[in-house]
Amino acid sequence: MNPVRKTQWLGRPFPRIEAGLKVAGGIRYLDDMAFGPDLVYAAIVHSTRPHARLVGVNTAPAQALEGVLAVLTGRDVPGRLGHALADRPILAHDRVRYVGEPVAVVAAVSPELAVAAAQRVKVTYEDLPGVFDSEKALRPDAPLLHPQVDEYERRAFVHPRAGTNLAHVCRARRGDMEAGWQAASTVLADTYRGAPIQHASMEPHGAVAQCHPDGTITLWASTQAPFVQQATIAQTLGLDPRRLHVRAAAVGGGFGGKSFVSIEALVVLLALALPGRPVKLVLQRAEEFTTTFVRPALLAHVRMGADRHGKLTALEAHYVWDAGASADALIELAWAAALAGTGPYAIPHVDLTSSVVYTNHTPAAPMRGNGMAEVHWAIEQHMDRMAAALGMDPMSFRLRNLIKGGDPVWDGQVMHATGLEQCLRQVAQAVRWQAAPGKPSSAGRRRGRGLAVMWSPVLRHMAISATAVVRLESSPAAEAIQPVVVEVGSPDTGQGFATLVVQLVSSLLGVPPEWVQLQPIDTARSSFSGPGLGGQLTWSQGNAIVRAVQDLRGRLLSAVAQAWDEPPGALDIVEGVIHSHASHRSLSLRQLVQEGVRLADGSVLRPELRGEGRFEPTAPDEAGDEQALGVVHFSTGAQAVEVEVDLETGTIDVLHIASAFDVGHALNPDLVVAQIKGGAMQALSATLFEQVRRADGIPLNVRLSDYHLATILDLPPTIEAVVVEVPQGDGPFGARGVSDHAGVGLAPAIANAVAQATGVRITAMPITPEHVWRALQT
Amino acid sequence: MRHEITLHVNGHEHRLQVESHHTLLDVLRRQLGLTGTKHGCDCGECGACSIWLNDRLVLSCLVLAAEADGAHVLTVEGLAASGEFAHLQEAFIEHHGMQCGFCTAGFLMAAAALLRENARPDAATIRAALAGNLCRCTGYHGILRAVQTASRMRR
Ligand code: FES
Ligand code: FES
């Protein structure tokens, strides 16, 4: 564990560093950047069919338009994109697999012209039978989307089944199921459904690429994962990755929808076709729904057993994920569901399977929580029903089974210390779990309370290793500050990561926060880092930063100690000045940077002004198994709600949300609370309103007026966040992330509250008034 | 078809050539470089493009530039420069009324329009006034608190 150093800037409120710019309209997102008069605009020609053979793509009518500079089709681009499994053509090759799939892409001198030209491209299809349901997709007679899936390039931990629509299947087992069922006095099985939803970041996807005379290409993108973009695109196009420089613009929300390559390869292709000219593509809102990613629909089959004392004895679950036409972005999610698919419980006998299935839908990608919101939707409702079957209170039943530090998890892995129980007790207290339900506001309405616990794994795989560089730069004499430049590889997507970087560096190095300058990310310069899966940034990137600062600090102090002939331990840096406790000498960092430090013999010593840190997580259970992923640690939490349901209309008012998460150590408590509340509301929206609706593969609601997102009117009267801090052994200052999974327990908590209020159990998301009303009629 | 129009934007007069189909949002962002006003949906469904047109709150993606000839426009840049709503901006910072910030300009314009009409709105009035603005990050709690705080600070 890192030494905990009491500092001025950590563990207490610290304002978001870019907030002033944001309230003045001064932050530049991708579409706000200027690229000069040579800028060219791109538009996509989309498939209008869910599954069809591409008979012909006639680009001539588009090319005939004055001002159209290029039209590319799948014939021009042979490769397939993929980070773990290369299964997605940049432009459809011989067939289309979903409505919205890019078939061709056009570049023209104005955005209007690009759209007009795209509309003139004539595509001829020969329809193929489609697959619109992940269970039907697994039947032996189902039409196949990727008959050659087993021949696609893939990482060792991806396990497709040749000749089926199963893109990947993984399994996690312990104990002896037979014994588990035998020990049970109550066994309950059911199926739960999670709806496909869209990340719907307010900023649409956008990218600009330009090919320079020296052959390098710059890609500016609204991305959570610039290094994934670089590696994946370069590999698919057969480019030397060093030729492709990815620069991250400010990101207007991502939530997982910008963690993988979606449209960015298209502008790189056009840039290669139009050397010298910057090419820009910014998606329309409807394209966000059809052409980027959705959160996968889940089908969860759960069978659970407990003995008469209320101890869980066995769990068997099959999580079936609807990947749409590409499974690449779901591989790690599927592993997470297998490895954390029990929910946070100590269960001796477990058999979990997680399957990723191709269908003719828009490709899926994780959305906030890496599948955990969907998994807990099933497990945490099932827990309430088990409690009812056993005649137990849902809270007592959970307390009896919660996993604790020291409990075994997978082979050779033991649960670390966790504040899970504290989280549960806190949220139960917040909604007055033990008290009688509140009085409804009128007759015909009923109140209910529900709760849920959760955990979320951080998986060990290459993509979450992180590095950071911290260096001192010389600055003009007139300036009073000594710039401390920090390079990391993962962008702040709004959660406040940049602020955390400033807090960490200023605290650890001993400099004023104003000195710390976070470099914009450019893969040509920045340090390697994996995807910006929000909650992992604090932990992985935070650890790398801590190490980089320690490295730099060590270099500076040992040089000065040598010059002054003192032990380095006698020196410290405070407010940018090196002090010696022993000799009371001092030297400002600014002076050290500009002049070096003079040795006793009069010569000058100039220490290296650069520190580097690398963090490579290890999973205790993995033992180098390339075929499988392992869990590094779990984050835990609990959520509870009070709702009021109108029995006549089925309308649900959420009156109170209480969330508690164990964040290890809240390095910036205000940001943590903001994440927890924001995550809860995003989850409320998913629970009550959101669903990408389709009819035989044709999307039906691709506008924000048809796809209901929560507004400020849906904000409950009471929404609270409790921060629990049980330090994380391998976290920076004991911290672990929270933003990624801050909404995971909310959906089942609401479902449980609705069940308590009305007696009806909604197993399919979203819990709309219509679903409730229908259930009440039966 | 081309139109020649005059716009008074944030106190500056501009003579502009615009096409019939250009929206006020297009002109502000592309011709005047005022990119603080955001483009979230282009069809009146997200509120990110909110501005003031002749002192009224409008969605600039729904106004044709040619129709705005002679109008006075205030965008977030002008709002910030005027300093008149600095207390609102500060309250947004203090209460974490933003995360990614993409929706922020729209919320500020809508909230400022409300506070100008009603110096002490209650929570329900604030909610109603901001119901047309979407935010995917904050969950609105910080935004509500920010506007409440600003209304108490208002001179
Ligand atoms: S861009 Fe105008 S309302 Fe969305
Ligand atoms: S802060 Fe990101 S959409 Fe509101």
Side-chain angles (χ1 to χ4, degrees):
Chain A
M1 192 167 145
N2 301 299
V4 176
R5 189 177 134 101
K6 281 284 162 221
T7 71
Q8 219 173 331
W9 310 115
L10 286 178
R12 58 195 72 195
F14 187 93
R16 189 178 267 281
I17 55 165
E18 79 294 358
L21 268 182
K22 280 179 175 168
V23 295
I27 286 261
R28 297 266 178 270
Y29 302 87
L30 190 278
D31 197 25
D32 304 334
M33 296 165 71
F35 291 93
D38 281 345
L39 184 62
V40 171
Y41 300 83
I44 300 173
V45 179
H46 307 102
S47 163
T48 56
R49 308 300 170 90
H51 202 190
R53 211 169 64 75
L54 263 188
V55 178
V57 183
N58 181 5
T59 61
Q63 257 150 345
L65 282 181
E66 168 107 29
V68 170
L69 303 176
V71 186
L72 301 178
T73 71
R75 270 191 305 260
D76 307 307
V77 205
R80 280 181 312 271
L81 289 164
H83 171 58
L85 170 67
D87 65 357
R88 194 153 44 95
I90 301 176
L91 288 166
H93 295 159
D94 48 349
R95 66 161 105 183
V96 291
R97 296 181 175 88
Y98 63 98
V99 171
E101 180 170 5
V103 171
V105 65
V106 174
V109 295
S110 79
E112 293 85 357
L113 189 61
V115 169
Q119 280 163 358
R120 292 177 64 151
V121 172
K122 291 273 167 291
V123 185
T124 321
Y125 302 98
E126 186 183 294
D127 284 323
L128 295 168
V131 187
F132 309 116
D133 171 315
S134 52
E135 264 190 325
K136 287 186 190 147
L138 291 179
R139 291 186 188 157
D141 59 343
L144 295 186
L145 270 83
H146 295 271
Q148 270 94 42
V149 61
D150 55 316
E151 290 165 22
Y152 293 174
E153 254 186 83
R154 63 174 191 266
R155 304 270 290 271
F157 53 80
V158 186
H159 307 294
R161 290 275 164 80
T164 74
N165 284 315
L166 201 47
H168 169 65
V169 59
C170 49
R171 197 165 172 190
R173 282 182 286 184
R174 65 173 176 254
D176 165 6
M177 294 314 289
E178 202 59 33
W181 300 128
Q182 243 153 44
S185 65
T186 301
V187 175
L188 205 68
D190 208 344
T191 296
Y192 300 83
R193 285 163 203 274
I197 67 174
Q198 220 271 320
H199 304 78
S201 53
M202 284 299 106
E203 182 210 22
H205 285 72
V208 174
Q210 184 175 15
C211 187
H212 307 290
D214 65 359
T216 60
I217 303 147
T218 306
L219 170 66
W220 294 264
S222 172
T223 175
Q224 295 174 259
F227 285 91
V228 172
Q229 297 277 352
Q230 180 196 31
T232 311
I233 296 172
Q235 190 185 16
T236 307
L237 298 183
L239 296 171
D240 179 346
R242 284 167 302 184
R243 259 186 82 191
L244 181 63
H245 303 167
V246 181
R247 296 203 191 166
V251 179
F255 316 116
K258 294 174 181 167
S259 290
F260 300 85
V261 177
S262 60
I263 53 143
E264 297 77 11
L266 292 172
V267 290
V268 173
L269 280 176
L270 285 170
L272 287 166
L274 300 168
R277 303 203 64 167
V279 184
K280 174 165 166 175
L281 177 60
V282 175
L283 291 192
Q284 305 290 320
R285 183 54 63 181
E287 292 177 295
E288 288 288 307
F289 284 95
T290 58
T291 303
T292 62
F293 293 108
V294 296
R295 183 176 96 174
L298 169 68
L299 207 63
H301 305 289
V302 178
R303 191 169 136 89
M304 199 182 252
D307 66 20
R308 69 188 92 260
H309 309 293
K311 267 295 219 187
L312 290 170
T313 60
L315 171 70
E316 186 183 324
H318 189 188
Y319 299 111
V320 184
W321 304 93
D322 179 349
S326 165
D328 174 49
L330 292 191
I331 303 300
E332 285 145 19
L333 172 147
W335 276 108
L339 294 165
T342 53
Y345 299 110
I347 311 174
H349 309 288
V350 174
D351 187 351
L352 301 172
T353 307
S354 188
S355 300
V356 182
V357 178
Y358 287 126
T359 65
N360 292 108
H361 290 146
T362 296
M367 178 174 166
R368 229 177 169 178
N370 208 17
M372 287 303 107
E374 300 93 309
V375 163
H376 286 80
W377 166 250
I379 291 292
E380 282 300 280
Q381 290 206 63
H382 211 72
M383 284 297 287
D384 262 38
R385 298 169 72 185
M386 288 290 292
L390 288 156
M392 286 180 76
D393 167 71
M395 167 130 172
S396 318
F397 179 49
R398 284 183 174 81
L399 284 172
R400 188 154 304 177
N401 290 289
L402 285 187
I403 196 157
K404 294 181 191 56
D407 284 343
V409 190
W410 303 112
D411 234 359
Q413 186 186 19
V414 170
M415 184 63 186
H416 49 78
T418 170
L420 175 61
E421 182 175 331
Q422 204 184 334
C423 291
L424 174 57
R425 291 190 186 278
Q426 293 263 11
V427 296
Q429 193 184 347
V431 299
R432 294 171 299 109
W433 180 258
Q434 306 297 347
K439 250 192 149 19
S441 56
S442 66
R445 295 171 74 89
R446 295 280 184 280
R447 286 202 178 180
R449 281 171 299 204
L451 41 80
V453 292
M454 61 72 64
W455 69 354
S456 177
V458 169
L459 301 185
R460 195 212 74 94
H461 53 108
M462 211 196 76
I464 51 171
S465 67
T467 60
V469 170
V470 179
R471 55 193 163 79
L472 301 180
E473 258 184 18
S474 48
S475 67
E479 277 187 30
I481 68 157
Q482 166 53 55
V484 180
V485 177
V486 184
E487 293 176 8
V488 295
S490 294
D492 187 341
T493 56
Q495 71 281 62
F497 174 63
T499 304
L500 198 67
V501 172
V502 169
Q503 288 180 269
L504 277 172
V505 173
S506 61
S507 301
L508 278 165
L509 191 57
V511 300
E514 311 82 72
W515 290 12
V516 181
Q517 300 172 2
L518 187 57
Q519 283 289 324
I521 293 164
D522 179 345
T523 58
R525 248 199 0 239
S526 309
S527 312
F528 174 81
S529 172
L533 297 175
Q536 302 177 0
L537 279 186
T538 300
W539 169 75
S540 65
Q541 196 71 78
N543 267 319
I545 289 168
V546 168
R547 290 169 193 194
V549 177
Q550 282 166 345
D551 185 31
L552 172 63
R553 207 180 133 83
R555 283 175 209 279
L556 301 176
L557 294 188
S558 65
V560 175
Q562 186 193 339
W564 293 352
D565 196 21
E566 295 184 34
L571 306 185
D572 195 5
I573 309 177
V574 178
E575 285 288 295
V577 179
I578 300 176
H579 292 282
S580 161
H581 307 305
S583 64
H584 300 288
R585 292 173 75 171
S586 64
L587 172 71
S588 73
L589 286 183
R590 199 171 153 73
Q591 208 178 345
L592 179 63
V593 169
Q594 283 171 345
E595 298 160 20
V597 58
R598 205 162 283 280
L599 293 172
D601 65 5
S603 64
V604 170
L605 185 63
R606 289 186 179 275
E608 201 187 336
L609 301 174
R610 186 173 182 282
E612 215 177 289
R614 181 169 179 79
F615 179 62
E616 191 97 48
T618 51
D621 66 325
E622 194 169 0
D625 183 357
E626 290 292 307
Q627 308 281 313
L629 295 182
V631 179
V632 182
H633 69 245
F634 293 94
S635 292
T636 58
Q639 289 175 301
V641 299
E642 178 165 18
V643 304
E644 187 170 294
V645 184
D646 187 318
L647 298 180
E648 206 171 320
T649 61
T651 318
I652 299 162
D653 288 326
V654 178
L655 305 174
H656 188 155
I657 296 178
S659 309
F661 289 93
D662 177 6
V663 303
H665 176 187
L667 299 177
N668 187 328
D670 284 4
L671 285 179
V672 167
V673 165
Q675 280 306 307
I676 293 177
K677 290 181 180 171
M681 275 302 286
Q682 203 177 67
L684 176 145
S685 187
T687 309
L688 299 181
F689 310 130
E690 294 181 44
Q691 178 170 25
V692 172
R693 287 183 287 114
R694 305 151 169 147
D696 286 347
I698 315 249
L700 300 176
N701 53 343
V702 298
R703 306 171 54 130
L704 292 172
S705 54
D706 295 331
Y707 182 91
H708 186 162
L709 293 175
T711 72
I712 197 168
L713 299 177
D714 303 304
L715 177 66
T718 309
I719 176 164
E720 51 188 319
V722 181
V723 175
V724 170
E725 296 178 290
V726 174
Q728 177 65 38
D730 62 354
F733 295 94
R736 57 173 86 82
V738 70
S739 61
D740 202 40
H741 53 263
V744 163
L746 196 80
I750 292 179
N752 290 339
V754 169
Q756 197 194 71
T758 64
V760 303
R761 170 71 53 190
I762 308 294
T763 55
M765 255 199 250
I767 314 178
T768 60
E770 184 187 334
H771 283 161
V772 175
W773 185 85
R774 280 185 195 284
L776 280 167
Q777 307 312 304
T778 54
Chain B
M1 198 178 125
R2 281 203 162 236
H3 305 260
E4 181 158 328
I5 63 167
T6 305
L7 282 182
H8 306 270
V9 182
N10 301 333
H12 301 285
E13 184 179 308
H14 298 274
R15 265 181 214 294
L16 299 161
Q17 302 272 330
V18 302
E19 296 287 339
S20 305
H21 64 269
H22 281 163
T23 64
L24 203 46
L25 177 62
D26 292 334
V27 170
L28 290 172
R29 290 180 52 85
R30 287 202 234 153
Q31 291 197 39
L32 299 179
L34 292 169
T35 54
T37 306
K38 299 301 177 204
H39 180 290
C41 69
D42 221 15
C43 51
E45 296 172 353
C46 76
C49 65
S50 302
I51 58 159
W52 292 8
L53 179 67
N54 293 330
D55 280 339
R56 284 188 41 226
L57 182 70
V58 300
L59 299 171
S60 61
C61 71
L62 294 185
V63 179
L64 288 174
E67 284 182 326
D69 188 16
H72 289 260
V73 170
L74 186 75
T75 71
V76 67
E77 290 92 344
L79 182 97
S82 79
E84 204 191 327
F85 288 93
H87 59 300
L88 178 64
Q89 294 173 293
E90 274 155 30
F92 262 73
I93 297 175
E94 188 191 330
H95 293 289
H96 291 268
M98 97 237 11
Q99 287 179 19
C100 81
F102 200 78
C103 66
T104 309
F107 273 99
L108 286 171
M109 298 312 290
L114 168 69
L115 293 179
R116 198 194 36 181
E117 295 292 318
N118 180 350
R120 298 231 165 220
D122 60 14
T125 309
I126 297 172
R127 286 174 183 247
L130 301 181
N133 292 72
L134 295 176
C135 173
R136 192 59 156 160
C137 304
T138 64
Y140 305 104
H141 187 247
I143 295 174
L144 180 64
R145 296 252 314 266
V147 180
Q148 285 175 321
T149 303
S151 77
R152 284 193 286 269
M153 285 158 61
R154 179 114 185 172
R155 304 139 288 227

